[in-house]
Amino acid sequence: MAKVIGIDLGTTNSCMAVMEGGEPEVIENAEGGRTTPSVVAVNPKTGERYVGMLAKRQAVTNPENTVSSVKRLMGRKFDDPEVQRDLKWLPYKVVKAPNGDAHVVMGGKTYSPPEVSAMILQKMKQDAEAKLGDTITQAVITVPAYFNDSQRQATKDAGQIAGLEVLRIINEPTASSLAFGLDKKKQERTIAVYDLGGGTFDVSLLSLGEGVFEVKSTNGDTHLGGDDFDRRIVDWIVAEFKRDAGIDLRQDRMALQRLKEAGERAKVELSTVLQTEINLPFITADASGPKHLILTLTRAKLESLVQDLIDKSEGPCLQALKDAGLKPADFQEAILVGGMTRMPAVSELVRRVFAKEPNKSVNPDEAVALGAAIQAGVLKGEVHDVLLLDVTPLTLGIETLGGVMTPLIQRNTTVPSAKSEAFSTAADGQTGVEIHVLQGERPLAAENKSIGRFILDGILPAPRGVPQIEVSFDIDANGILAVSAKDKGTGRQQKITIQASSGLSKDQIEQMVRDAEAHGEEDRRKREEIEVRNRADSLVYSVEKLLQEQADKVPADLKTEVDGKVSAVKKALESKADAAALGSAVAELEQSMQKIGAQVYGQMAGAGARTEGGADKGGADQGGKGPDGGTVEGEFREV
Amino acid sequence: MAQAEARAKEYLDLLQRTQADFRNYKKRMEQERQGLREQLRGETIARLLPVLDDLTRALGEASQEIAQHPWVRGVEMVQRKLLALLETEGVARIEAQGRPFDPWEHEAVHYQESADHSEGLVLAVYRDGYKLGGRVLRPAQVIVARHAPAAEAPSPSRVGDDSELKGDAPEARGG
């Protein structure tokens, strides 16, 4: 069955997504980009048409036939004051159609804005079909909340022209809210959507009740966006250079090009670091020789350069609040959409105006498209309540030798989920194992939450490491964990049922994860020490067993040597020597043990004697054991 | 009873779709994963290209007097080495000079009016572009020839004007 795609048809950039496995995924275009510039061009000589990045690349040589930001003209009349205003700086020709609509001219022909938008949609449709390997005939397309009927109809028309049945036109802020999962809590919510993109700013206040989104008010600035920020940076670089070197780089088109790119890069970097270097050697030259540009731009300086732009967005926010009759305290969520919101200063303004920490959990460039895909999924009946899957918030496992936690189900695993692993006994003749169920991220059992405990007994006496105990964890969709331990030999089984996520709030969970990270290094070391000890212990056991069983094949001097090494390891274990000392004693012992093996096999080759039984096999197992191997006194180890 | 049956049917259908979805997703992920290594390699190389640009620029600015200086020679060798390393990685420079402008491989940063060259010809390369195994890592930034535009026609239907400008026949568009 064909998929329905969600499309964010933006002013500067467009993006598309589709539901896969119950979650929205962005679809890359043919060039490998996750967004596609909303630009279309026609080569006037060949009639060849370009869409997206290709159109952008030839814009400079063909400005009259390159149409960008056509969204500004969708559903509008030529005499619209907005259109008349934009006319002044749009490099392509805008004309009045017979019916009064604003049309554009490309390659000598006239097109309606829906026709141009359709070209963009068509490319996205084709690219999606190529990526998904399936025909696409239906879509959900987003529009700004303030779009009127004719603008919405124009968008629907565009879809139709592109060969897409538009199942629905939804508002961009609503789509974003879906992407942020705000409809899942099944509560009444008031949401502020702050969308600062490449060229436009929109603020929308929504209320969500009984699954229905209602737009309370909208406001914004149709000419405020990331591009303005970029210009400020270039202005500053030019000013600085003029001051230092006395040269006006604005006169040099090529230098300006480099400046623009460097400025954009710097802007992006300063969202994550506090300062960055703008390094442009050989930017220009004068009589005295080549000139270089090197400037440090701090985040603080950048903020001062663009503060007035950021502040410009405050007015519309306050007006929207007024129009809706709402106060910041009325909002449960403030979400950030649009690439420019990555800037800390922008996020800070939102925090200040809406008096809460803004929600940044979804990629701001993709949120609208993802939301459109979710809506598409709902319309196709792909999203059911029963499919709203949860994840287990913390790792689940059991305690094993040395007090470590051996995980069975990792945190953030989608449930339902099941996992089994085989364990064994730690001591010879051990007849029972205790399953201690733990929840948490720390490597040591004691530092995690104990959520259950039971004993499986009746294990037949056997050498340690021989019995096979299968431990299974099974979590159902409700988060109920069933742990069972089964002795594969006797068939005896014990199990318990635990409410795995009981008692821990979201904050507590996050704190546990943070703790684990903070103690990561220290915990890792402790765990390693324990594992080295376990290995040493196992090794001693194997070697002693081996010596016993092969006593007749081992010459006296070798036996003495091995005994000595074994004592060394035992002593290191007892005296709780550090990992390094223990490690070297173990290495010594392993070497000696190999000599025994050589002896035994050597004699065997000569005398054709029967191969050993479990001892060497046990030895080989010990030698090959990964770091997880080990036994616990009275408990059990992994096989 | 009928209700339960209907529900069971619904669940089975859902299960099948989810499984199918999952399988298709796996297939797509596998495809993407194979392309990912190439892509990451390409991205890393692309990020380092500005250094090559600056090095080339630096050498280009070496004045006549110092061009033969051993130190400059040495820096030339550094550039050559970098280019050789890139070539070993499968990176190829995009040929642009003198070719018809092609937005797949070129990015026009400026145009220059010239009656002597056919419209759309790349006159100069401002910054080299590179390909990695057929994929464009970074387009070449070029300066394109343009003929002076005709006087603005009052209505958009005057397509005929263009043909009066052409000196040569339009360049055949390669591939």
Side-chain angles (χ1 to χ4, degrees), chain A residues 398-406 423-427 430 434 436 438 442-448 464 523-538 573 576 627-638:
Chain A
I398 55 173
E399 181 175 352
T400 54
L401 178 65
V404 300
M405 170 169 169
T406 298
F423 292 81
S424 188
T425 49
Q430 185 177 334
E434 179 180 48
H436 182 195
L438 304 160
R442 307 286 294 275
L444 298 182
E447 279 149 357
N448 291 305
R464 72 187 237 180
D523 284 348
R524 202 179 48 80
R525 241 184 319 112
K526 278 194 213 161
R527 193 194 176 107
E528 267 174 32
E529 277 178 27
I530 293 174
E531 280 161 4
V532 169
R533 290 183 68 84
N534 291 349
R535 260 201 301 268
D537 190 61
S538 292
L573 277 173
K576 299 207 185 297
D628 288 333
T631 45
V632 181
E633 290 309 319
E635 291 182 50
F636 52 117
R637 66 157 190 190
E638 279 183 77

Side-chain angles (χ1 to χ4, degrees), chain A residues 333-412:
Chain A
E333 297 273 359
I335 63 180
L336 296 179
V337 178
M340 208 52 233
T341 59
R342 287 197 174 93
M343 191 170 171
V346 171
S347 173
E348 176 54 35
L349 179 124
V350 178
R351 198 192 60 73
R352 197 166 46 79
V353 170
F354 292 98
K356 49 188 52 70
E357 197 57 49
N359 191 332
K360 312 174 195 176
S361 56
V362 178
N363 184 325
D365 294 312
E366 300 173 358
V368 174
L370 292 172
I374 292 173
Q375 180 68 69
V378 169
L379 291 172
K380 277 312 253 200
E382 280 178 33
V383 183
H384 294 247
D385 267 349
V386 77
L387 278 190
L388 286 179
L389 296 176
D390 229 329
V391 296
T392 173
L394 293 164
T395 303
L396 297 160
I398 55 173
E399 181 175 352
T400 54
L401 178 65
V404 300
M405 170 169 169
T406 298
L408 265 97
I409 295 186
Q410 295 289 348
R411 82 172 217 272
N412 283 335

Side-chain angles (χ1 to χ4, degrees), chain A residues 80-329:
Chain A
D80 232 333
E82 280 269 348
V83 173
Q84 288 298 313
R85 202 174 45 148
D86 288 344
L87 256 190
K88 300 201 175 78
W89 53 269
L90 287 176
Y92 50 89
K93 220 170 148 79
V94 180
V95 295
K96 189 170 184 174
N99 65 357
D101 285 348
H103 280 203
V104 302
V105 182
M106 244 194 331
K109 290 207 222 134
T110 319
Y111 299 91
S112 66
E115 282 176 302
V116 179
S117 292
M119 295 172 191
I120 300 170
L121 291 172
Q122 202 169 39
K123 172 193 161 56
M124 298 182 81
K125 171 182 184 288
Q126 283 164 357
D127 289 354
E129 286 174 338
K131 268 280 146 68
L132 299 175
D134 199 6
T135 351
I136 307 276
T137 52
Q138 300 172 315
V140 165
I141 307 182
T142 61
V143 294
Y146 59 75
F147 257 25
N148 63 25
D149 274 346
S150 67
Q151 288 169 309
R152 283 166 203 264
Q153 188 56 48
T155 308
K156 218 167 174 181
D157 292 342
Q160 233 172 328
I161 298 169
L164 292 165
E165 182 196 341
V166 181
L167 294 186
R168 192 165 294 184
I169 297 280
I170 67 168
N171 291 327
E172 283 155 19
T174 306
S176 307
S177 302
L178 288 176
F180 277 78
L182 300 184
D183 63 323
K184 289 190 181 158
K185 303 273 173 76
K186 308 255 176 278
Q187 293 164 0
E188 296 250 333
R189 303 183 92 69
T190 312
I191 303 160
V193 183
Y194 182 101
D195 183 344
L196 186 59
T200 59
F201 166 59
D202 292 304
V203 57
S204 316
L205 306 182
L206 314 176
S207 83
L208 168 62
E210 288 168 15
V212 176
F213 285 92
E214 195 192 320
V215 179
K216 290 299 204 190
S217 67
T218 65
N219 211 300
D221 189 330
T222 52
H223 290 277
L224 175 63
D227 296 343
D228 300 300
F229 288 63
D230 293 335
R231 268 193 287 272
R232 288 295 170 85
I233 301 176
V234 171
D235 288 347
W236 175 75
I237 300 176
V238 168
E240 289 288 294
F241 194 71
K242 188 140 182 229
R243 197 193 55 197
D244 293 341
I247 300 175
D248 182 5
L249 288 175
R250 284 210 187 277
Q251 308 306 319
D252 184 344
R253 211 172 204 280
M254 297 293 103
L256 213 50
Q257 176 70 30
R258 282 174 74 189
L259 252 57
K260 259 186 64 190
E261 290 171 5
E264 275 177 47
R265 256 198 312 270
K267 178 186 78 172
V268 169
E269 277 181 43
L270 288 172
S271 288
T272 45
V273 297
L274 290 173
Q275 70 179 44
T276 185
E277 192 177 80
I278 298 176
N279 177 329
L280 298 169
F282 301 95
I283 188 72
T284 189
D286 66 7
S288 60
K291 292 272 175 275
H292 314 301
L293 189 159
I294 181 150
L295 291 169
T296 301
L297 181 57
T298 61
R299 186 189 287 179
K301 181 67 191 172
L302 172 61
E303 286 174 1
S304 75
L305 290 174
V306 300
Q307 195 57 54
D308 65 308
L309 292 173
I310 300 177
D311 291 341
K312 243 176 136 183
S313 70
E314 187 169 355
C317 291
L318 298 176
Q319 187 60 48
L321 283 168
K322 196 152 163 247
D323 292 343
L326 294 167
K327 326 181 285 296

Side-chain angles (χ1 to χ4, degrees), chain B residues 13 33 45 76 134 150-151 173:
Chain B
D13 184 57
R33 193 152 46 110
I45 292 176
E76 265 174 21
R173 298 207 59 80

Side-chain angles (χ1 to χ4, degrees), chain A residues 20 61 64 253 258 261, chain B residues 28 57 103 108-109 141 146:
Chain A
E20 287 207 288
T61 55
E64 315 88 13
R253 211 172 204 280
R258 282 174 74 189
E261 290 171 5
Chain B
R28 192 153 72 92
R57 223 169 253 135
V109 291
Q141 284 185 339
R146 214 172 123 102

Side-chain angles (χ1 to χ4, degrees), chain B:
Chain B
M1 187 63 219
Q3 211 184 31
E5 263 182 38
R7 207 126 41 93
K9 209 161 152 241
E10 187 189 322
Y11 290 156
L12 177 62
D13 184 57
L14 206 55
L15 175 63
Q16 285 171 333
R17 286 188 196 290
T18 308
Q19 271 200 325
D21 243 358
F22 181 53
R23 296 235 174 94
N24 289 335
Y25 184 72
K26 265 171 82 170
K27 281 185 217 159
R28 192 153 72 92
M29 282 300 109
E30 183 52 46
Q31 267 180 350
E32 282 186 15
R33 193 152 46 110
Q34 284 176 355
L36 191 66
R37 229 178 126 217
E38 268 299 297
Q39 197 193 330
L40 289 177
R41 210 156 64 92
E43 279 172 15
T44 306
I45 292 176
R47 270 200 298 273
L48 297 176
L49 288 176
V51 178
L52 174 57
D53 296 334
D54 285 345
L55 193 50
T56 308
R57 223 169 253 135
L59 286 170
E61 298 276 339
S63 66
Q64 282 268 348
E65 301 94 58
I66 62 170
Q68 302 306 317
H69 194 282
W71 191 85
V72 176
R73 284 293 189 204
V75 176
E76 265 174 21
M77 284 172 63
V78 171
Q79 183 203 37
R80 219 176 43 221
K81 185 170 190 169
L82 181 52
L83 287 168
L85 280 173
L86 287 175
E87 205 180 301
T88 322
E89 288 293 317
V91 178
R93 205 172 64 98
I94 289 176
E95 290 303 322
Q97 177 84 41
R99 298 242 178 132
F101 175 76
D102 178 358
W104 279 104
E105 302 190 337
H106 311 144
E107 181 188 345
V109 291
H110 197 27
Y111 62 84
Q112 211 166 296
E113 300 208 341
S114 163
D116 305 326
H117 298 92
S118 32
E119 183 138 335
L121 195 72
V122 172
L123 291 176
V125 176
Y126 177 61
R127 189 197 65 181
D128 275 322
Y130 297 91
K131 274 198 271 211
L132 177 60
R135 198 167 66 89
V136 173
L137 275 185
R138 185 182 78 174
Q141 284 185 339
V142 300
I143 300 175
V144 181
R146 214 172 123 102
H147 292 161
E152 279 301 284
S155 86
S157 53
R158 296 262 298 275
V159 195
D161 284 331
D162 275 353
S163 52
E164 286 163 41
L165 298 171
K166 281 183 282 197
D168 320 330
E171 287 279 318
R173 298 207 59 80

